[in-house]
Amino acid sequence: MNMPGQTRASTRVRGVLFDMDGVLIGSTAADEQAWEKWAAYQGMQGLFSIQSPHGRRAVDSIRVLRPDLDPQVEVQRLEAFDAESTDGITILPGVQNLLAKLHPSQWGIVTSASDA
């Protein structure tokens, strides 16, 4: 329904690119579990705040939290911990319904997450 003075616009698209986390899925709980496991592995119990890594890339968080460690090695370790479990990963509301309306060739995921 158009209001007086408004016109309708239409757009044709051939495909849609979605970010993954926070758009298609919620994985914060699973990610936090992986960080907690990593912190325990590094002997950082009681010294680590789960808020520390939020808002930046894992490699950057590791550089800040443990500058004495090789960040690339530790990112691989963290990603391995993250891939061990899907507990806490949820499909966000409406995602399945939306994706069911799109042909698989019409959408894709763009993310900074690793393949794991």
Side-chain angles (χ1 to χ4, degrees), residues 31-64:
D31 292 341
E32 288 179 351
Q33 290 171 17
W35 275 105
E36 292 285 354
K37 191 169 185 175
W38 178 83
Y41 179 86
Q42 296 300 341
M44 297 170 60
Q45 301 93 324
L47 304 172
F48 175 76
S49 166
I50 196 60
Q51 300 307 311
S52 300
H54 283 288
R56 63 178 154 211
R57 297 178 316 153
V59 69
D60 296 329
S61 293
I62 290 168
R63 284 184 181 123
V64 169

Side-chain angles (χ1 to χ4, degrees), residues 11-18 24 97-110:
T11 302
R12 294 194 82 163
V13 295
R14 295 172 131 199
V16 181
L17 298 176
F18 294 102
L24 299 178
N97 189 26
L98 172 63
L99 295 182
K101 294 177 181 179
L102 298 173
H103 188 275
S105 68
Q106 293 178 306
W107 67 276
I109 296 173
V110 292

Side-chain angles (χ1 to χ4, degrees), residues 79 83 111-116:
E79 288 177 354
T111 180
S112 62
S114 69
D115 289 342

